[in-house]
Amino acid sequence: MDNIKNYIDKNKDRFIDELIELLKIPSVSADSAYSQDVINTADAVKSRLEKAGCDFVEICETPGYPIVYGEKTIDKNLPTILVYGHYDVQPADPVELWTSPPFEPVIKKTELHPDGAIFARGSCDDKGQMYMHVKALEYMVQSNSLPCNVKFMIEGEEEVGSPSLAWFVARNQEKLKNDVILISDTGMISNTQPSITTGLRGLSYVEVEVTGPNRDLHSGLYGGAVANPINILAKMIAQLHDDNNHITIPGFYDKVHDLSREERDEMAKAPFSLDAYKKALDIEDVYGEATYTTNERNSIRPTLDVNGIWGGYTGEGAKTVIASKAYAKISMRLVPDQDWNEITELFTKHFTAIAPKGVKVKVTPHHGGQAYVTPIDSIGYQAAALAYAESFGVKPIPVRSGGSIPIVALFEKELKSKTIMMGFGLDSDAIHSPNEHFGIFNYLKGIETIPYFYKYFTELSK
Amino acid sequence: MDNIKNYIDKNKDRFIDELIELLKIPSVSADSAYSQDVINTADAVKSRLEKAGCDFVEICETPGYPIVYGEKTIDKNLPTILVYGHYDVQPADPVELWTSPPFEPVIKKTELHPDGAIFARGSCDDKGQMYMHVKALEYMVQSNSLPCNVKFMIEGEEEVGSPSLAWFVARNQEKLKNDVILISDTGMISNTQPSITTGLRGLSYVEVEVTGPNRDLHSGLYGGAVANPINILAKMIAQLHDDNNHITIPGFYDKVHDLSREERDEMAKAPFSLDAYKKALDIEDVYGEATYTTNERNSIRPTLDVNGIWGGYTGEGAKTVIASKAYAKISMRLVPDQDWNEITELFTKHFTAIAPKGVKVKVTPHHGGQAYVTPIDSIGYQAAALAYAESFGVKPIPVRSGGSIPIVALFEKELKSKTIMMGFGLDSDAIHSPNEHFGIFNYLKGIETIPYFYKYFTELSK
């Protein structure tokens, strides 16, 4: 199967150019101003799948943005791999912190990416990683080496919580039937130490609104006499953690299972430098839940973070006002067995309960999803491990990620199949941040590794 | 002196039209987008003072917006009244909450203003109350009843803390020489119970910036492992008050003098209905420092309020991000003997001290001013009391206001004269809020009352 190396060598410039074209479309699903761009991206993905060799591709309408479905069936008796990815991207703001425009991709060398990396919103999350699968299919079709059937389901609402995906999956059980689901929307430890994500955190994302007086007030005439919604919101947010940074919502930890000392020791073997971590973020110290390490805090422990806050006068200069309302967007990362709907209810109940009499509180759930763990003894994991070992020459390490791909739990429930997360990005690729990028090495290595997964999964399924 | 009533009767439509013209200019000093409008307003005020009968008027340049100076001297041996006011206004936002455009004045009847009120930003604070003095002068000049000399100093930076006024006053001691300073930039209890503001709170206004990681981060990959600047800012703000809503800044209360039981009982006599207060603001309960009444909390007690807060993703939808920075605008209202510079330092020291290791904190002082108390045995206060009694037929009550006019303390220091605050607005006039308005009754009553002050002050000065 060395042909894959040669094929990539011959075609890499085109592979990169095709991805760059895709990255130029600002498919920001969170902002309705970009809705036409999101739809145009779906059309672009459809034609790429057709060119790559799918024998059937369609744009499937949903209550939200469309889902691109494609398939190539070579033999009904062979296993079927369902590839999931998303063509929508995170908002680019704060745009002023980008060193090059987020939707004008450029290739720049970095310390970790000496061969260069593509800088653009979505380059890694997830257009770049999704497109690796399209190019891997192209190779297998061109070289007549596709060993099994393949289906693609590429959605456009992942960055806003996939509101339409459950609706779509529930209505297309037969069409989506598969033996394993393959996703590249996670990262790996480094370009010399591949890893496979075996766990994902769940998510509950809410927006809160605190209302005090029925109008903005002069802070001199009313200051000190009425509940200031901003001060109250700050106080309520502060109360959500105790001095040990445990979350104080009653019942929040009821279903959280502590990992055994052995499991934690196993995790601790993954290469990690706290100094390098602090240096990379330019922070004097890390901060988190007492008695847990940094890697545990952001993977096996549930967390609560304010993702946005606003209220009162935020313009130039000074305004002595007491705002009528204050707002915050708050998300909680959850671990296996914490049900996101239940956690959302617990949050709502608690947050409303701790509000003083002088204010009214409104909690609006945005979206959420369940946590997930992949068994490493499954055929899918084994095939993925062999694939990485072959392309990287190094055995991959299983790791738990702090991120969430809510639909993974949904897939298992609705489609009864396991999901394998073959990620090729690096944590330093700045996904969801300014200057997101994806290494050329990683992009091409992904295209190289994926056909091996097809090969081994088909063999192990016999 | 009944002529004043007749004169107002004959000219009231013109008085109202002239004020409306002034209110149409959006002289927002806090937002540089309006700088030309601010300057145009200064020119308009200059020509109004000339028309009213000043024998000398000039636009005085400063490092910031110009100050309009005018004077009419009838006899060097007679007392001189210095009228201070400001022609700049607060920002109009949130504009969407205005029932009519903030800079398109309209007259509407309200429950408290059956004769109608002018709705426009600046109608009460302070264009309307400042212009009463211009029209009062016009009357006294027309009727040859001006009993003393008068000077006008109308500035354009009051709403941003009068940064240039100290500079101007220090350089114009002789020009501004006076026997009493008269300001209408406060309110009164009601249209049937006039009151005179004898105390003002000081102010310290700062902006804080909390920086965590050097870039926005994915809340899944980093959530729980690094200090989230928004959560930290919320926690720090919450720590600024204890459970009794006392401010926790070390040394903050050191120079605060508790009023005697007698003084507090005297204050408590001012008519006030807590139910009406709560109903007007649509709040279930008031909120503030333990052991003090609502009227005490917003007048004789120092307070701390967040006037604005922002950070992270505040757009449509959801973004799972940990922001690199979070910001807040915080103001403290101070009482006599609390030095605002010292308080600003205490705040900065404390706020920096309570920051956890994982973040960096920057505190930027915006502006401030000292508190002030007018002695009610002064000639100025006596003259004002007689003036109100004559025009309203009711003896005015002395009250302490929660608001701040930082320059009043400055005047006493630099010009060695007392300031009398003859306010004609009502707390319900919504200054600094959407739908600011000023009663026609109040506007005309102010024009009627001012000449009496000139008369009595001149007589009592003999």
Side-chain angles (χ1 to χ4, degrees):
Chain A
M1 207 155 164
D2 273 354
N3 316 345
I4 176 73
K5 278 203 168 58
N6 309 331
Y7 190 83
I8 291 170
D9 243 27
K10 277 201 224 70
N11 298 282
K12 61 171 184 256
D13 293 348
R14 175 172 56 85
F15 289 175
I16 292 165
D17 294 343
E18 287 176 12
L19 175 55
I20 283 176
E21 284 313 303
L22 215 51
L23 292 169
K24 286 180 180 171
I25 318 175
S27 50
V28 179
S29 50
D31 186 343
S32 50
Y34 296 96
S35 51
Q36 190 51 53
D37 298 297
V38 179
I39 288 157
N40 295 343
T41 310
D43 296 334
V45 171
K46 175 173 184 287
S47 66
R48 303 302 179 86
L49 282 171
E50 287 162 342
K51 285 204 191 69
C54 283
D55 36 41
F56 173 70
V57 186
E58 65 178 337
I59 298 271
C60 306
E61 293 308 326
T62 75
Y65 286 118
I67 287 169
V68 185
Y69 174 80
E71 64 181 33
K72 183 163 185 67
T73 308
I74 57 171
D75 179 343
K76 291 247 173 294
N77 304 315
L78 287 168
T80 298
I81 295 169
L82 172 63
V83 175
Y84 164 85
H86 63 94
Y87 62 81
D88 63 319
V89 301
Q90 278 276 314
D93 56 288
V95 175
E96 65 276 13
L97 296 185
W98 285 74
T99 55
S100 57
F103 298 107
E104 295 171 26
V106 289
I107 295 173
K108 287 182 263 188
K109 287 183 167 37
T110 75
E111 197 183 337
L112 289 173
H113 297 295
D115 306 343
I118 304 173
F119 281 74
R121 168 59 81 226
S123 55
C124 179
D125 176 17
D126 182 50
K127 284 175 176 170
Q129 296 213 73
M130 173 270 288
Y131 203 62
M132 297 181 311
H133 291 270
V134 181
K135 294 297 98 180
L137 172 68
E138 173 191 311
Y139 162 74
M140 291 184 280
V141 170
Q142 294 298 323
S143 59
N144 284 307
S145 60
L146 180 66
C148 60
N149 309 309
V150 57
K151 296 175 177 176
F152 286 84
M153 172 170 58
I154 314 300
E155 73 153 315
E157 300 182 319
E158 198 273 344
E159 298 296 1
V160 290
S162 306
S164 307
L165 195 65
W167 177 93
F168 178 76
V169 171
R171 283 165 181 67
N172 295 277
Q173 306 263 357
E174 191 49 38
K175 169 188 266 181
L176 299 172
K177 204 161 173 312
N178 67 80
D179 299 284
V180 70
I181 296 164
L182 187 56
I183 302 181
S184 295
D185 197 16
T186 49
M188 58 181 186
I189 291 169
S190 76
N191 287 356
T192 53
Q193 179 54 70
S195 55
I196 299 174
T197 301
T198 56
L200 293 166
R201 289 197 286 189
L203 178 72
S204 168
Y205 198 114
V206 302
E207 187 161 319
V208 300
E209 173 190 289
V210 175
T211 305
N214 53 2
R215 58 185 168 92
D216 287 3
L217 300 174
H218 185 294
S219 69
L221 303 183
Y222 292 88
V226 298
N228 176 328
I230 302 177
N231 288 77
I232 297 299
L233 175 59
K235 196 174 170 188
M236 292 169 73
I237 289 169
Q239 284 179 61
L240 297 175
H241 290 92
D242 67 16
D243 294 344
N244 293 317
N245 278 306
H246 292 303
I247 293 156
T248 56
I249 300 167
F252 186 82
Y253 292 101
D254 285 2
K255 297 184 177 168
V256 177
H257 305 292
D258 264 324
L259 268 66
S260 67
R261 186 68 261 167
E262 294 63 35
E263 289 174 287
R264 292 174 68 178
D265 292 343
E266 196 49 43
M267 276 188 65
K269 289 189 182 141
F272 176 75
S273 158
L274 190 58
D275 287 341
Y277 187 86
K278 289 190 286 188
K279 190 163 165 294
L281 300 176
D282 187 22
I283 52 177
E284 200 184 329
D285 204 353
V286 292
Y287 185 91
E289 190 179 11
T291 76
Y292 292 94
T293 67
T294 292
N295 277 337
E296 291 171 337
R297 286 166 174 172
N298 63 19
S299 64
I300 61 169
R301 297 297 298 171
T303 56
L304 183 151
D305 275 292
V306 181
N307 302 107
I309 191 165
W310 66 103
Y313 183 67
T314 59
E316 191 186 339
K319 185 165 190 265
T320 50
V321 67
I322 291 177
S324 171
K325 291 173 181 291
Y327 306 83
K329 293 175 192 270
I330 299 175
S331 68
M332 289 159 282
R333 298 284 169 171
L334 311 175
V335 295
D337 294 338
Q338 281 185 300
D339 176 79
W340 79 269
N341 292 299
E342 188 184 339
I343 291 294
T344 304
E345 275 169 36
L346 289 175
F347 174 92
T348 305
K349 192 155 163 271
H350 179 63
F351 202 73
T352 312
I354 61 176
K357 246 179 151 194
V359 300
K360 299 178 195 70
V361 170
K362 196 171 104 197
V363 178
T364 309
H366 260 309
H367 65 271
Q370 312 295 19
Y372 182 78
V373 177
T374 307
I376 64 172
D377 55 7
S378 63
I379 292 176
Y381 182 86
Q382 298 299 333
L386 289 166
Y388 276 99
E390 185 130 10
S391 61
F392 284 81
V394 184
K395 192 165 178 297
I397 297 175
V399 298
R400 294 272 294 263
S401 162
S404 306
I405 310 182
I407 42 76
V408 170
L410 167 81
F411 291 158
E412 177 150 29
K413 182 165 159 289
E414 295 281 342
L415 302 175
K416 313 279 179 289
S417 51
K418 291 284 168 199
T419 294
I420 304 303
M421 286 161 280
M422 292 177 70
F424 294 91
L426 301 182
D427 279 1
S428 54
D429 287 346
I431 66 171
H432 291 213
S433 302
N435 307 310
E436 174 180 357
H437 55 283
F438 189 37
I440 300 290
F441 169 86
N442 306 68
Y443 177 51
L444 300 178
K445 212 61 176 169
I447 299 170
E448 180 186 342
T449 307
I450 290 161
Y452 289 118
F453 175 81
Y454 281 61
K455 171 170 173 280
Y456 290 116
F457 184 75
T458 308
E459 288 174 11
L460 294 172
S461 302
K462 280 174 183 150
Chain B
M1 208 159 167
D2 273 352
N3 315 344
I4 176 71
K5 278 203 168 59
N6 308 333
Y7 190 83
I8 290 170
D9 244 27
K10 276 202 223 69
N11 299 280
K12 61 170 181 257
D13 294 346
R14 175 172 57 86
F15 288 175
I16 293 165
D17 294 343
E18 287 176 12
L19 174 55
I20 283 175
E21 283 314 305
L22 214 52
L23 292 169
K24 287 180 181 171
I25 319 176
S27 50
V28 180
S29 51
D31 187 342
S32 49
Y34 296 96
S35 50
Q36 189 53 53
D37 298 297
V38 179
I39 288 158
N40 295 343
T41 311
D43 296 334
V45 171
K46 176 174 183 286
S47 66
R48 303 301 181 86
L49 282 171
E50 287 164 342
K51 286 205 191 69
C54 283
D55 36 41
F56 174 70
V57 186
E58 66 178 335
I59 298 274
C60 305
E61 292 310 325
T62 76
Y65 287 118
I67 288 169
V68 185
Y69 173 82
E71 63 179 36
K72 181 163 186 68
T73 309
I74 57 173
D75 180 343
K76 289 252 173 291
N77 304 316
L78 287 168
T80 297
I81 295 169
L82 173 64
V83 175
Y84 163 86
H86 63 94
Y87 62 81
D88 64 320
V89 301
Q90 277 277 313
D93 58 288
V95 175
E96 65 275 14
L97 296 185
W98 285 74
T99 54
S100 57
F103 299 107
E104 295 171 26
V106 289
I107 295 174
K108 289 181 263 188
K109 286 180 165 39
T110 75
E111 195 183 337
L112 289 173
H113 298 295
D115 307 344
I118 303 173
F119 281 73
R121 168 58 82 225
S123 55
C124 178
D125 176 16
D126 180 51
K127 284 174 175 169
Q129 296 212 74
M130 173 270 289
Y131 203 61
M132 298 181 310
H133 290 270
V134 181
K135 294 297 94 180
L137 173 68
E138 175 192 310
Y139 162 73
M140 291 184 281
V141 170
Q142 295 298 324
S143 59
N144 284 310
S145 60
L146 181 66
C148 60
N149 310 308
V150 58
K151 296 175 178 178
F152 286 84
M153 172 170 59
I154 313 299
E155 74 153 315
E157 299 182 320
E158 199 272 344
E159 299 295 2
V160 291
S162 306
S164 307
L165 195 66
W167 177 93
F168 178 77
V169 171
R171 283 164 181 70
N172 294 278
Q173 307 263 355
E174 191 49 39
K175 169 188 268 182
L176 299 172
K177 204 163 172 307
N178 66 80
D179 299 283
V180 71
I181 296 165
L182 188 57
I183 302 181
S184 295
D185 197 16
T186 49
M188 57 181 188
I189 292 171
S190 77
N191 287 357
T192 53
Q193 179 54 69
S195 56
I196 299 173
T197 302
T198 57
L200 293 166
R201 288 197 287 190
L203 178 71
S204 168
Y205 197 114
V206 302
E207 187 161 319
V208 301
E209 174 189 290
V210 175
T211 305
N214 53 4
R215 58 186 168 91
D216 286 4
L217 300 174
H218 185 294
S219 68
L221 302 183
Y222 292 88
V226 299
N228 176 328
I230 302 177
N231 287 76
I232 298 298
L233 175 59
K235 196 175 168 187
M236 292 168 73
I237 288 169
Q239 285 179 59
L240 296 174
H241 290 92
D242 66 16
D243 295 343
N244 294 318
N245 278 306
H246 292 302
I247 292 156
T248 56
I249 299 167
F252 186 83
Y253 292 101
D254 286 2
K255 297 186 176 165
V256 176
H257 305 292
D258 263 324
L259 268 66
S260 68
R261 186 68 261 168
E262 293 63 35
E263 289 174 287
R264 292 174 68 178
D265 293 343
E266 195 50 42
M267 276 188 66
K269 288 185 183 146
F272 175 75
S273 157
L274 190 58
D275 288 340
Y277 186 86
K278 290 190 284 188
K279 188 162 166 296
L281 300 176
D282 186 24
I283 52 177
E284 199 184 330
D285 203 354
V286 291
Y287 185 91
E289 191 179 10
T291 75
Y292 291 93
T293 67
T294 291
N295 278 336
E296 289 171 338
R297 288 166 174 172
N298 64 19
S299 63
I300 62 169
R301 297 297 297 172
T303 56
L304 183 151
D305 274 292
V306 180
N307 303 106
I309 191 165
W310 68 103
Y313 183 68
T314 59
E316 190 186 341
K319 185 165 189 262
T320 51
V321 67
I322 292 176
S324 171
K325 291 173 182 289
Y327 307 83
K329 292 175 192 272
I330 300 175
S331 67
M332 289 159 282
R333 298 284 170 170
L334 311 175
V335 296
D337 295 338
Q338 281 185 300
D339 177 78
W340 79 270
N341 292 298
E342 189 185 338
I343 292 294
T344 304
E345 276 169 36
L346 290 175
F347 174 91
T348 306
K349 191 154 164 274
H350 180 63
F351 203 73
T352 312
I354 61 176
K357 246 179 149 195
V359 300
K360 301 177 194 69
V361 170
K362 197 171 102 196
V363 178
T364 309
H366 261 310
H367 65 272
Q370 312 295 18
Y372 182 78
V373 177
T374 306
I376 63 173
D377 56 6
S378 64
I379 291 176
Y381 182 86
Q382 298 300 333
L386 288 166
Y388 277 99
E390 184 130 8
S391 60
F392 284 82
V394 184
K395 192 166 178 298
I397 297 175
V399 298
R400 296 272 292 264
S401 161
S404 305
I405 308 181
I407 42 74
V408 170
L410 167 81
F411 290 157
E412 176 148 31
K413 182 165 158 292
E414 295 282 341
L415 302 175
K416 315 279 178 292
S417 52
K418 290 286 172 201
T419 294
I420 304 303
M421 285 162 281
M422 292 177 69
F424 294 90
L426 300 182
D427 280 0
S428 55
D429 287 346
I431 67 172
H432 291 215
S433 302
N435 306 312
E436 174 180 356
H437 54 282
F438 189 36
I440 300 290
F441 169 87
N442 306 68
Y443 177 51
L444 300 178
K445 210 63 175 170
I447 298 171
E448 178 186 342
T449 307
I450 291 163
Y452 289 118
F453 174 81
Y454 280 62
K455 170 170 174 280
Y456 291 116
F457 184 75
T458 307
E459 287 175 11
L460 293 171
S461 302
K462 277 173 188 152

